[in-house]
Amino acid sequence: MTSFLPSPLDGHSPYYVRLADAFEAAMADGRLSPGDKLPPQRHLAFDLGVTVGTVGRAYALLRERGLVSGEIGRGTYVLDQRHAADQPPRDSFALAYTGTRPIDSPSGKLRFDTTAAPDIGQSERIGATLADVARDMSIEVASYSRSTPPHWRTAGARWLSRNGWAPDAEAVVPSHGAFSAALSVITAMSAPGDRIVFEKLTYSPIARSARLAGRRTVGVEIDSGGMVPEDFERICAQQHPKLAFLMPTLHNPTLAILSEDRRRQIANIAQRYGVWLIEDDLYGSMSDDATPLVAEFAPDRTFVVGSLSKCVAAGLRVGWVACPSHLAQRITVTHRLLTGGISFVLAEAGARLVLSGTAEELRRRSMAEIEARHRIVSEILAGADVTTHRFAPFVWLKLPDPWLSGTFKAAAARRDILIDDEDEYKPERMEHNYYRARISYSSGDRATIANGMTELRRLLDSGMAGYDGET
């Protein structure tokens, strides 16, 4: 094993990226040679004064760059790069904004890292709807969308309505999914340099997009009940954020559900400090939870986003955002400027699916399929420390000692299973480790889910034997 100790350079990239860059520079100038064994992650983390998870992310990045290989039971070794001249250049900027998922997912793997709607045969219904749009509206299909037909807003209002809360259709803006809706709100309601609050575990691509747009991200504490109101108020008082993004129902990835009392507190804090709220109800719309939406308590400050991606079809890229009524025009213009304009074909198809009742039927069928898969997964993972919900398409797994999140993810990938480590959901650098992994089960059929989960259970139960093969 080499005694080489890397010295990451200062810079704006995350530490794990600079650590990987330091290793790559050492390989390029001969300080590390093909066949050299890198230090065990735990030892290097101690020597550098960082977390093992940080080192794990650097090693994973080196593997993605094709610079090292991990051999089960032996460790991580430098590969021979003499024949790598034809490889495309690696863009550290792109890698820094990608998270822990590869830029292009490898083929031939089980996709337990996606929560797109399960295949329930919806393509036939969607195909018929798309054909009807092309037949009935050939002139509109051939042109640009320069206006928003009222029935697109009506469909969005119907889809977003839940638990007695229903937005005014005039205040609903169609979008290319919940992601573009949330980013449009952030762009419209804040300026470069403004602070945006995210839970310390969250759907981090939104946070990365906000940073790319020049906003600063701030993490608020969470616990088993979701966002902690007291910490949210502390941040509002000290850092004066412009906006907060939260997932009150079936939080991704923890599956927490905010209590009604916490929702009231957060709404009141936002009102007092003038903070806008984005309520992501993507998974909430698939739940049986009856807790009122945050929008009930702060209707003049809350934007509610949702889409068809999780229970109808992710490929449609159709969503909506319900706005405070006086801000719908601002969000419409911002979304148009950010995206170049909404797709007429997709928006019209999405509206027809909702207004005909087809989307609601597909949602019920998706929920039934997810519930059936949940029973399979719960049986396989029985006895493990895992958070689940019968209508959620993923579990939040606590890893037993000595497993680390990144190490377990790498071990699963070696078994051709893609899962998400906890770092994928961290919106900013932090030293805290949760020792968790998110494992999804909406992709593939039930037999594939059962086989993949069984393999992961074997890996989980292998303990030190499996772990030592990945360090």
Side-chain angles (χ1 to χ4, degrees), residues 55-371:
V55 176
R57 292 183 71 176
Y59 279 28
L61 188 53
L62 290 172
R63 284 194 292 271
E64 290 175 17
R65 294 177 178 180
L67 299 174
V68 300
S69 68
E71 300 180 21
I72 295 177
R74 296 189 61 208
T76 302
Y77 290 81
V78 178
L79 291 174
D80 189 343
Q81 297 297 304
R82 288 175 297 176
H83 306 294
D86 296 330
Q87 294 297 315
R90 294 176 293 275
D91 188 335
S92 60
F93 173 86
L95 290 169
Y97 281 96
T98 302
T100 64
R101 293 173 179 170
I103 295 175
D104 293 307
S105 294
S107 59
K109 307 279 188 180
L110 295 184
R111 294 299 307 275
F112 284 8
D113 61 344
T114 176
T115 55
D119 182 1
I120 52 171
Q122 62 267 66
S123 59
E124 183 176 348
R125 304 289 292 276
I126 294 170
T129 301
L130 290 169
D132 289 345
V133 172
R135 182 194 65 234
D136 299 342
M137 311 188 79
S138 59
I139 295 176
E140 292 86 349
V141 168
S143 187
Y144 292 107
S145 300
R146 302 192 184 277
S147 61
T148 303
H151 67 284
W152 289 6
R153 300 182 187 274
T154 301
R158 179 179 299 184
W159 188 254
L160 294 175
S161 297
R162 194 164 71 83
N163 292 353
W165 175 82
D168 181 353
E170 290 301 312
V172 173
V173 177
S175 69
H176 287 303
F179 188 106
S180 67
L183 190 58
S184 296
V185 173
I186 291 172
T187 306
M189 305 309 299
S190 66
D194 284 341
R195 290 180 171 88
I196 312 297
V197 173
F198 291 88
E199 293 140 314
K200 286 199 171 181
L201 290 173
T202 189
Y203 178 63
S204 63
I206 295 289
R208 295 198 294 271
S209 297
R211 288 199 300 273
L212 189 61
R215 278 60 173 177
R216 291 180 287 178
T217 57
V218 183
V220 64
E221 293 291 347
I222 59 173
D223 60 18
S224 60
M227 180 184 286
V228 177
E230 293 79 9
D231 196 52
F232 179 49
E233 181 160 23
R234 177 189 64 80
I235 289 171
C236 289
Q238 295 178 356
Q239 303 198 41
H240 312 292
K242 198 73 171 183
L243 187 145
F245 175 88
L246 66 158
M247 293 173 280
T249 307
L250 294 187
H251 174 271
N252 180 20
T254 69
L255 292 172
I257 297 178
L258 272 177
S259 66
E260 180 173 342
D261 181 60
R262 284 197 180 189
R263 296 179 195 223
R264 287 183 185 274
Q265 291 183 61
I266 289 167
N268 290 337
I269 293 165
Q271 294 277 19
R272 288 201 303 275
Y273 290 94
V275 178
W276 300 103
L277 298 174
I278 298 178
E279 182 172 10
D280 184 336
D281 199 44
L282 264 179
Y283 296 104
S285 68
M286 298 167 61
S287 74
D288 53 358
D289 179 65
T291 311
L293 273 67
V294 173
E296 288 268 20
F297 308 121
D300 294 333
R301 303 212 65 82
T302 306
F303 298 83
V304 179
V305 300
S307 77
L308 303 180
S309 64
K310 306 303 180 185
C311 52
V312 176
L316 276 176
R317 307 307 299 157
V318 175
W320 299 269
V321 52
C323 312
S325 58
H326 63 294
L327 294 170
Q329 188 175 33
R330 182 189 297 191
I331 303 305
T332 298
V333 172
T334 304
H335 185 272
R336 186 174 298 162
L337 291 174
L338 286 176
T339 65
I342 198 164
S343 162
F344 179 89
V345 173
L346 298 182
E348 176 66 20
R352 291 190 181 198
L353 288 168
V354 171
L355 296 176
S356 68
T358 301
E360 182 57 40
E361 175 196 340
L362 292 173
R363 172 156 55 187
R364 290 195 298 268
R365 287 171 55 190
S366 288
M367 290 171 65
E369 176 63 22
I370 289 170
E371 187 176 23

Side-chain angles (χ1 to χ4, degrees), residues 7-19 21 92 96 429:
S7 299
L9 298 175
D10 293 333
H12 298 293
S13 298
Y15 186 88
Y16 77 94
V17 175
R18 289 184 280 124
L19 179 57
D21 290 343
S92 60
R429 276 189 60 187

